[in-house]
């Protein structure tokens, strides 16, 4: 199934985010070899050149590196991965808090709501998180 | 590097009407380009000119630096919008035909792909369903390692599952140093596989740009931009 | 490449010609059978006696058979035109004109295949005529019939006639091809335009030929070239020996050859440089 994209932004930057998410969530383990550009492009149903551009940009963040003849690998630096994970979490939370602010809820009220939901539906939160990652 | 497709002041008249007016377009090797425009904008005319089925009223068109002729035809793999193979031929006969005439035809690959679709090679083309017939022709077209692929509305009139299959086939089978020119009006399906988009409006090129640049510049997808540019 | 084109065209045209010829062969075998039946039963059915139903049906069959023979000659022309039209101008032209071959090669293949089938049809017809004669008319009688002709007409003239026939066949085919090539330039109505062009060309050709012939033979009109009825065969033979006729024939061949070159060039030029497939 082809991946879904936001119309207003370049596809390559969205691909970059998706693969980054796959790395920080553990779909690709540290040190693991990534599929070839062609295979990844085929999986996402995108132009290989676009996928190539996304991967090149991702290399710059250090999360992946290229071995000249054998392809691309996820970094073994688990600290880097963890820090990327935190950064993404902060970004998403920031966006979330902004949306809550529009509703009129400040951070303390949001924390209250989270605690209420968390205690009654613990498992569901995780399931919907991993659904969002797969997209 | 020689551009794989170069159009200079191409004009094509049908009687008094100009289907194409002063088209200047250059395509580099290794790109997937969308030729986008509404019906009647001249997409098919431009493609037929490149394939050698029409001659322009004025202007020059070269493929890999050569004028249209037997040499360019061996480098161009064309998928027309219509049914053009003899219905009485069997699938294997058509494969033999392509194998005979085109050196760059990969027979093994074509047979493999047909196998995966479970299409019996001994079946006559006219007995295949429309969808299967179109898949067969697509397979034949993409099994050639050409310098230029001309696909005229490859996903028009086809169900969504078949569309996915067709786009997958295009992506996984083209020759990476070759260029694919896809003419379509179903842009949202095709946008993700394009490098560049060419908007053809009333026989002239109104936009020619990389897809990412369009998204950056206009803050919208090519599909959305198209709807704006070609609003009725 | 030409061999591959020949193979392709031959396969496509066989689908039309082979059934037609098979039907002809079968029909002629049946006709031969009926003929034998009547010749052996002759005393009962000819001359005054009761006309049997079999006789009437056989006479009808014979009439239909002869009509079919003429139809075959017509079908040969129609099939050739149909194949050319379908593969060079209609849908299949999308395949033909994107093959990596020159328009000359395409045309050469079409011409060779057309000539091939014309020869095959002629051969089959001649063989069937011989088959009818077999057992009733022997070689001696044929020789005797044609003897005066062969005696008085120089061999070179016979060769000239043969060459002239072949050239006419080829020219005829090319006239159709050139008309269709010119006709297809009119994208909206290629068929009507082709027919119009062909009619125009034919009229011009026939009128020119008639004018030229009358002009040429103005002095010699006293020789009425009547049909070679059996009684007049000596007279006819005399006419053929007349050198005027000879020169006329050579000039006619040259004109046909020139037309062949012209039509060939027009057709291949149109498809190479002016192609306009809808």
């Amino acid at each position: 199934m082809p991946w879904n994209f936001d119309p207003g932004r370049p596809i390559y930057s969205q691909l970059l985010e998706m693969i980054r998410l796959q790395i920080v969530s553990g779909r690709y383990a540290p040190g693991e070899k990534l599929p070839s550009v062609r295979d990844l492009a085929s999986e996402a149903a995108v132009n290989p050149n676009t996928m190539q551009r996304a991967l090149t940009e991702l290399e710059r963040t250090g999360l992946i590196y290229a071995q000249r003849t054998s392809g691309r690998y996820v970094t073994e630096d688990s600290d880097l991965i963890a820090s990327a994970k935190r950064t993404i979490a902060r970004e998403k939370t920031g966006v979330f808090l902004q949306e809550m602010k529009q509703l009129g809820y400040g951070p303390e009220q949001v924390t209250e709501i989270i605690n209420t939901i968390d205690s009654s539906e613990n498992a569901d939160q995780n399931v919907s998180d991993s659904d969002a990652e797969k997209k | 590097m020689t551009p794989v497709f170069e159009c200079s002041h191409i004009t094509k008249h049908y009687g008094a009407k100009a289907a194409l007016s002063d088209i200047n377009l250059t395509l580099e090797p290794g790109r997937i380009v969308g030729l986008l425009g509404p019906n009647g904008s001249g997409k098919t005319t431009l493609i037929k000119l490149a394939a050698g089925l029409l001659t322009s009223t004025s202007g020059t068109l070269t493929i890999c630096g050569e004028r249209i002729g037997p040499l360019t035809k061996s480098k161009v793999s064309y998928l027309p919008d219509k049914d053009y193979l003899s219905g009485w031929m069997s699938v294997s006969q058509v494969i033999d035909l392509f194998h005979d005439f085109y050196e760059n035809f990969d027979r093994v690959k074509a047979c493999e792909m047909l196998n995966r679709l479970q299409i019996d090679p001994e079946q006559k083309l006219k007995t295949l369903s429309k969808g299967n017939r179109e898949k067969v022709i697509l397979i034949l077209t993409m099994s050639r390692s050409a310098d230029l692929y001309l696909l005229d509305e490859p996903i028009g009139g086809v169900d969504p599952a078949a569309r996915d299959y067709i786009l997958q086939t295009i992506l996984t089978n083209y020759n990476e140093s070759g260029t694919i020119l896809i003419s379509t009006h179903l842009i949202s399906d095709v946008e993700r596989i394009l490098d560049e988009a060419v908007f053809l409006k009333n026989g002239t090129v109104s936009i020619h740009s990389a897809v990412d640049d369009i998204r950056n510049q206009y803050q919208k997808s090519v599909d959305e931009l198209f709807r704006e540019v070609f609003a009725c | 490449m030409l061999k591959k084109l020949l193979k392709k065209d031959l396969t496509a045209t066989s689908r039309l010609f082979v059934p037609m010829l098979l039907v002809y062969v079968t029909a002629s075998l049946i006709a031969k059978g009926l003929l034998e039946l009547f010749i052996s039963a002759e005393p009962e059915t000819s001359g005054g006696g009761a006309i049997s139903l079999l006789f009437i049906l056989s006479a009808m069959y014979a009439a239909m058979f002869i009509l079919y023979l003429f139809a075959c000659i017509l079908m040969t022309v129609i099939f050739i035109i149909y194949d050319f039209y379908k593969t060079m101008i209609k849908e299949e032209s999308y395949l033909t004109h994107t093959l990596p071959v020159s328009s000359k090669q395409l045309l050469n293949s079409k011409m060779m295949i057309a000539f091939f089938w014309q020869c095959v049809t002629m051969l089959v017809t001649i063989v069937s005529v011989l088959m009818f004669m077999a057992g009733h008319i022997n070689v001696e009688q044929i020789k005797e019939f044609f003897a005066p002709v062969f005696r008085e007409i120089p061999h070179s003239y016979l060769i000239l006639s043969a060459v002239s026939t072949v050239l006419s066949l080829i020219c005829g085919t090319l006239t159709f091809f050139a008309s269709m090539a010119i006709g297809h330039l009119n994208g909206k109505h290629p068929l009507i335009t082709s027919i119009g062009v062909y009619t125009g060309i034919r009229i011009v050709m026939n009128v020119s030929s008639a004018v030229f012939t009358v002009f040429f033979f103005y002095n010699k009109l006293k020789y009425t070239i009547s049909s070679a009825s059996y009684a007049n065969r000596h007279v006819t033979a005399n006419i053929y020996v007349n050198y005027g006729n000879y020169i006329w024939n050579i000039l006619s061949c040259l004109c046909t050859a020139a037309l062949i070159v012209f039509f060939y060039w027009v057709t291949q030029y149109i498809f190479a440089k002016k192609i306009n497939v809808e």
Side-chain angles (χ1 to χ4, degrees):
Chain A
M1 271 296 292
W3 299 356
N4 288 322
F5 297 106
D6 206 358
R9 298 189 297 130
I11 296 180
Y12 80 93
S13 47
Q14 295 180 57
L15 285 172
L16 188 156
E17 285 168 16
M18 289 172 178
I19 299 175
R20 190 179 58 175
L21 203 54
Q22 288 179 331
I23 293 172
V24 304
S25 66
R27 161 127 187 241
Y28 293 116
E32 187 180 331
K33 183 171 192 290
L34 286 172
S36 72
V37 179
R38 263 215 138 152
D39 288 339
L40 279 171
S42 181
E43 188 192 314
V46 294
N47 186 312
N49 290 329
T50 315
M51 181 58 79
Q52 176 79 321
R53 188 170 175 188
L55 292 173
T56 311
E57 291 291 319
L58 200 53
E59 269 176 53
R60 250 184 256 161
T61 66
L63 277 173
I64 61 175
Y65 65 95
Q67 198 83 287
R68 195 162 320 147
T69 46
S70 41
R72 290 190 170 87
Y73 295 81
V74 180
T75 183
E76 269 127 39
D77 185 352
S78 27
D79 287 336
L80 187 62
I81 297 177
S83 124
K85 190 170 183 176
R86 267 197 306 277
T87 314
I88 297 175
R90 286 175 72 96
E91 277 171 18
K92 286 196 188 279
T93 313
V95 169
F96 169 67
L97 285 175
Q98 273 288 69
E99 289 174 13
M100 287 288 108
K101 196 166 175 186
Q102 286 185 343
L103 283 176
Y105 288 125
E108 303 84 30
Q109 288 142 311
V110 174
T111 316
E112 237 184 84
I113 299 175
I114 293 176
N115 288 332
T116 324
I117 294 176
D118 191 40
S119 54
S120 58
E121 296 170 5
N122 217 328
D124 289 340
Q125 193 103 353
N126 296 335
V127 172
S128 34
D129 265 347
S130 38
D131 271 347
E133 274 173 40
K134 282 214 194 91
K135 266 195 279 183
Chain B
M1 192 181 288
T2 334
V4 74
F5 175 93
E6 193 158 16
C7 234
S8 180
H9 301 293
I10 284 283
T11 305
K12 175 66 181 172
H13 285 284
Y14 284 112
K17 177 173 178 260
L20 295 173
S21 314
D22 199 35
I23 301 263
N24 295 292
L25 183 62
T26 305
L27 302 179
E28 298 297 329
R31 323 285 285 156
I32 303 184
V33 181
L35 187 60
L36 314 173
N39 292 328
S41 52
K43 309 192 297 287
T44 301
T45 308
L46 185 59
I47 288 187
K48 280 164 77 168
L49 278 170
L53 292 172
L54 292 175
T55 45
S56 57
T57 312
S58 63
T60 55
L61 198 159
T62 57
I63 309 269
C64 300
E66 305 274 342
R67 309 198 77 130
I68 307 290
L71 184 59
T72 65
K73 290 175 188 179
S74 66
K75 296 185 185 185
V76 172
S77 191
Y78 173 45
L79 179 67
D81 189 14
K82 54 178 13 171
D83 223 343
Y84 70 112
L85 293 174
S86 325
W88 54 267
M89 282 185 126
S90 71
V91 174
S92 63
Q93 279 177 303
V94 183
I95 292 183
D96 286 337
L97 184 78
F98 268 62
H99 176 77
D100 276 342
F101 283 98
Y102 298 113
E103 269 177 28
N104 51 25
F105 179 68
D106 188 344
R107 189 195 205 130
V108 170
K109 189 206 270 196
C111 289
E112 216 177 81
M113 285 166 70
L114 286 168
N115 238 332
R116 252 180 278 152
L117 286 176
Q118 295 173 316
I119 292 179
D120 175 16
E122 295 316 309
Q123 247 190 313
K124 303 238 180 276
L125 287 176
K126 64 184 170 206
T127 58
L128 291 173
S129 67
K130 177 167 187 262
N132 272 348
R133 215 166 30 239
E134 295 187 0
K135 286 180 191 159
V136 167
I137 298 182
L138 175 74
I139 288 171
L140 290 170
T141 310
M142 299 310 297
S143 298
R144 284 181 57 201
S145 56
D147 291 323
L148 178 64
Y149 298 86
L150 299 169
L151 311 179
D152 198 350
E153 300 280 2
I155 58 173
V158 164
D159 67 75
R163 255 181 253 165
D164 281 345
Y165 173 79
I166 289 171
L167 292 173
Q168 272 293 5
T169 308
I170 294 172
L171 271 183
T172 53
N173 285 289
Y174 80 109
N175 165 24
E176 267 154 350
S177 54
T179 295
I180 305 183
L181 183 64
I182 304 179
S183 115
T184 184
H185 52 268
L186 293 173
I187 298 147
S188 52
D189 286 293
V190 149
E191 182 170 352
R192 58 190 29 235
I193 73 168
L194 300 179
D195 281 303
E196 298 169 21
V198 175
F199 279 36
L200 208 59
K201 191 172 187 181
N202 293 118
T204 54
V205 175
S206 71
I207 297 176
H208 176 197
S209 177
V211 168
D212 284 336
D213 292 342
I214 288 178
R215 286 184 168 218
N216 265 325
Q217 188 184 342
Y218 297 91
Q219 299 293 303
K220 34 174 81 95
S221 69
V222 178
D223 182 56
E224 289 169 342
L225 182 63
F226 181 90
R227 283 164 208 255
E228 255 184 41
V229 171
F230 293 103
C232 300
Chain C
M1 274 301 165
L2 184 61
K3 259 193 278 187
K4 297 172 191 172
L5 280 173
L6 286 171
K7 173 178 155 195
K8 172 178 176 287
D9 283 331
L10 190 62
T11 329
T13 48
S14 297
R15 286 181 55 247
L16 300 165
F17 281 99
V18 168
M20 173 189 95
L21 290 170
L22 280 178
V23 169
Y24 179 78
V25 166
T26 317
S28 59
L29 286 172
I30 296 175
K32 171 71 171 170
L34 287 170
L35 181 70
E36 292 306 315
L37 202 64
F38 277 103
I39 289 176
S40 59
E42 202 182 310
E44 292 166 24
T45 51
S46 70
I51 301 172
S52 68
L53 180 64
L54 185 62
F55 180 74
I56 295 177
L57 288 174
S58 302
M60 286 168 67
Y61 181 82
M64 287 196 294
F65 176 71
I66 295 185
L67 280 175
Y68 185 70
L69 170 59
F70 284 110
C72 282
I73 296 168
L74 193 62
M75 275 193 274
T76 307
V77 174
I78 291 177
F79 288 164
I80 290 170
I81 294 175
Y82 172 73
D83 175 73
F84 188 88
Y85 193 69
K86 197 157 80 106
T87 57
M88 298 288 275
I89 296 168
K90 276 290 158 188
E91 289 84 30
E92 290 180 33
S93 61
Y94 277 59
L95 173 65
T96 316
H97 293 295
T98 51
L99 293 174
V101 294
S102 66
S103 66
K104 280 205 187 91
Q105 286 170 311
L106 287 172
L107 190 56
N108 290 346
S109 171
K110 293 278 177 232
M111 280 171 60
M112 286 165 75
I113 295 294
F115 188 68
F116 168 76
W117 286 117
Q118 283 165 329
C119 290
V120 166
T121 309
M122 265 198 301
L123 217 72
V124 167
T125 320
I126 292 173
V127 166
S128 78
V129 167
L130 290 175
M131 179 187 71
F132 280 116
M133 291 193 205
H136 307 293
I137 299 173
N138 56 35
V139 186
E140 290 306 315
Q141 288 171 291
I142 300 177
K143 274 198 188 155
E144 196 201 300
F145 182 83
F146 283 111
V149 172
F150 282 112
R151 201 171 35 241
E152 299 181 35
I153 301 177
H155 288 183
S156 54
Y157 191 84
L158 289 169
I159 295 171
L160 187 63
S161 299
V163 167
S164 170
T165 314
V166 167
L167 285 177
S168 300
L169 266 180
I170 298 175
C171 185
T173 313
L174 271 173
T175 316
F176 285 116
F177 288 174
S179 308
M180 285 192 272
I182 297 171
H184 106 284
L185 292 174
N186 176 359
K188 293 291 170 206
H189 306 285
L191 191 55
I192 309 280
T193 319
S194 303
I195 294 173
V197 170
Y198 180 76
T199 315
I201 293 177
R202 269 278 114 156
I203 291 176
V204 169
M205 275 168 68
N206 288 357
V207 167
S208 322
S209 172
V211 165
F212 174 71
T213 309
V214 168
F215 212 63
F216 193 81
F217 287 108
Y218 185 62
N219 310 340
K220 310 175 204 275
L221 276 174
K222 56 191 173 195
Y223 289 115
T224 48
I225 303 178
S226 60
S227 56
S229 67
Y230 198 74
N232 288 336
R233 65 193 188 283
H234 293 289
V235 176
T236 323
N238 279 327
I239 291 168
Y240 281 122
V241 175
N242 181 308
Y243 283 115
N245 226 306
Y246 203 92
I247 294 174
W248 177 87
N249 241 299
I250 292 181
L251 284 176
S252 171
C253 280
L254 288 174
C255 281
T256 314
L259 275 176
I260 287 176
V261 167
F262 175 68
F263 285 145
Y264 180 88
W265 178 84
V266 164
T267 310
Q268 73 82 24
Y269 176 79
I270 289 179
F271 283 119
K273 300 279 183 235
K274 296 283 172 206
I275 187 167
N276 185 36
V277 166
E278 282 302 304

